[in-house]
Each structure stands twice: as structure tokens, then as C-alpha cells.
Amino acid sequence: MGDLHEVPRPRIATGHLAQHIGRPVCFVGRVEKIHPTGKLFVLSDGEGKHTTVELSEPLEEEISGVLEVVGRVTNQATIMCMSYVQFREDKSPFDLEIYNEALKIIHEFPEYFPFG
Amino acid sequence: QRIRSQNIVPCTVSQLLAAEQVDETFRIRDVEISQVTIMGIVRHAEKAPTNILYKVDDMTAAPMDVRQWVDTDEAGGENVVVPPGTYVKVAGHLRSFQNKKSLVAFKIMPLENMNEFTTHLLEIVNAHMILRKNLTSASRVPQSFSSAGIGDMGGYGGGGSLPVNGLTAHQSQVLNLIKNCPVPEGMSLQELKLQLHNMSMSTIKQAVEFLSSEGHIYSTVDDDHYKSTDAE
């Protein structure tokens, strides 16, 4: 899993990548496309903006739907993925747009939602 | 003067780790807290004869130890271990042992609808904002922090609506007069103007419009007469 899971990982959207270069983050988005090599995929956030996620080892399974990625932002503003989980949508679809709005709130009030 | 939260407060792991310990109690923003909820992903689960130890990660800090005591009278099966990789909501009490904080959970449930997680993010901001406001206004802690979001946790969440004390002095005066009016068709704007010498008709009308849109009053025989929704 890596030690990235022992530190704070701010929840961000695509627009925040530039401010988090080199830092651990948590990104939630919908799978848009997967590179044939399986080492790269693209997620869209609640505003439809795309983020590229890279893997050190190729994917070993099919991925689809909404993913939550933990990783580090690279100098190219992509995310080097350490781990990911799929949000379950078997009972209800996940509202990514509302999640994006919630991100704006938690970023606006770091004193009430501290990362670290 | 000890302010104690009677409620179950939604928190981030980072807030719990930062909570101050004073003797046997914990405080966040000087408000004593005891029962809390967190939501995060299970990173680790270890079953022992009398308890299950989880590590729950909400991304705000390192995963938190969450211990759930197993009812040893139950012949197996009652406490099923939640597998790692599952998002859960946890309700429990904050504990500290040898300077390490943990939770003792009285309820751990997998999240079936991830939109509840989004709600939880917002409830945290709201609850802690209220905690801070109650400090600065030195008033009582409100009855309930949580709304319907965690209502299905069997009542632990309270479920009452958030207190809204957003009435201005003018609005309060108008509302009180309308509340105390015994007449069936309610109070008319003209009567309000007679009683409220300090207010212009337009101020009264604005107050009435606000109170009506908030559901405190309703119009009766015409748009000039109002009754309180709280009237006996």
C-alpha cells in the first residue's frame, strides 16, 4: 500500500492539481478512458474536467464508474496512483457534481475540515 | 463553566487526533465531546476473540484505530468482520490510551449509498461551525447536529432539524405579535402597523414576507392577514 496512506491526503478536483504538485492527494472521478497498456487512465471530476492517472504497474482488472484514487501529483499535474477503490453504485448512483460542490465547501472552511 | 455536547458530533479523524484531553474528557473548540461519527474506508480488519480491530481511513490523517467489542454470548455470526476496502460509517466514543487516540464503536455499518459520504463532509463543516459559534455567543449547545443523513443508524443521530436563530429584531417582533393574536383570521398588516410604532409599513411587509417564506406564518382570508404556524 505504501506510506502514502499514513499522511493527510486533501480531497481535490482537477482544478486543484496545480496547487498540489509533489503532494499526496485524494481524487474522486468517473472513468473516461483507459490506455491500452493499462498503465494510464483518465478520470473526469464533478465539473467534467479530466485528470490523468498513472500506474507503476498495469491494471489487473477492469475499472469503470466512479473511482477514488490516492496518489501523488506529478510535475506534469497528473496523479501517480498508489491505490484506488471503486465507489459502489449498485444501490444508488454517485452524484459527482454534488461531491464537487462539497469539495468547494471543505476547501473554503479548512478550520472546520482540516487535512492534517 | 463546562459546555458539554449532548449530541453525536460528525468529525474528521484529524479533528479527533487534535482534540484536547482534559482528565477523562475530550474537547474540540472547548466543547466537551464524547460520541462521534466518522466515515472512512477500512484499511485493516483483525478479529480477536472479544473484539474486532479496524483501521479506518478518511484521508484527513493516518487511519484511526476503531475497536468493536464482540458479544461473546452470541453464537457466532453476529459481528461479521467488514472487509478492507469497504467504506463504513462508525459511531463511537473517543478514547485515549498511552497518548494514542482510538474509537470504541457501538455501530459500524458499510455505506450502501456513497452520497451519504458527501453529506457527511458537509455535516462535519456545519457541526464544527456551530460548535465555534456557540463558543463565541456563549449560548447553549443546540439539540442536534445531524440531519437525516445518518438517521438510519437507529436514532443515534438525533435527526432533529438544525436550530435556526436567524430572525432579526423586527422579524421577531412581528412574529410574536402574530403568534399572540387570538382572532381566527389572524393579524392584519394594518394592526401590525398600529402596534409597531417604530416600523414603517414597508419594513413590516418585508418581515412578513420573510416569515411567510420561512414557514413561520401563513396568510388566511387575504394577503393582508396572517397566522402563526406555531399557534395553539
Side-chain angles (χ1 to χ4, degrees), chain A residues 15-101:
Chain A
H16 307 122
L17 286 169
Q19 295 125 288
H20 288 84
I21 305 272
R23 304 212 279 244
V25 294
C26 173
F27 183 93
V28 176
R30 198 172 294 280
V31 179
E32 295 293 336
K33 34 185 194 264
I34 307 168
H35 194 265
T37 60
K39 290 188 72 176
L40 201 147
F41 55 90
V42 176
L43 300 177
S44 60
D45 69 8
E47 288 180 341
K49 300 189 193 150
H50 289 191
T51 287
T52 301
V53 179
E54 299 178 65
L55 298 158
S56 47
E57 295 300 322
L59 283 166
E60 291 177 0
E61 57 178 357
E62 290 284 333
I63 52 167
S64 64
V66 177
L67 247 55
E68 180 181 74
V69 169
V70 166
R72 198 181 288 274
V73 182
T74 68
N75 290 335
Q76 294 78 40
T78 66
I79 298 178
M80 190 65 198
C81 174
M82 291 293 130
S83 70
Y84 66 84
V85 289
Q86 190 156 335
F87 273 10
R88 61 183 289 188
E89 290 187 283
D90 54 323
K91 297 237 163 86
S92 317
F94 182 69
D95 191 327
L96 197 53
E97 289 72 32
I98 297 266
Y99 174 80
N100 210 77
E101 293 299 309

Side-chain angles (χ1 to χ4, degrees), chain A residues 5-9 11 26 68 70 85 87-88 91-95 98-99 102 105-106 109 111-116, chain B residues 12 14-15 29 41 43 57-63 85 87 111-115 117-118 121-122 124-125 128-129 132:
Chain A
H5 297 89
E6 298 294 312
V7 299
R9 289 138 286 162
R11 289 182 174 277
C26 173
E68 180 181 74
V70 166
V85 289
F87 273 10
R88 61 183 289 188
K91 297 237 163 86
S92 317
F94 182 69
D95 191 327
I98 297 266
Y99 174 80
I105 303 274
I106 68 176
F109 297 101
E111 67 271 39
Y112 303 125
F113 200 100
F115 279 98
Chain B
T12 62
S14 53
Q15 284 165 336
R29 302 198 135 81
I41 188 166
R43 292 288 183 205
D57 183 4
D58 74 353
M59 312 292 170
T60 64
Y87 255 94
L111 277 187
E112 304 206 326
N113 182 346
M114 285 305 294
N115 295 304
F117 182 74
T118 307
L121 300 180
L122 297 170
I124 290 172
V125 172
H128 290 258
M129 196 179 282
R132 159 85 156 268

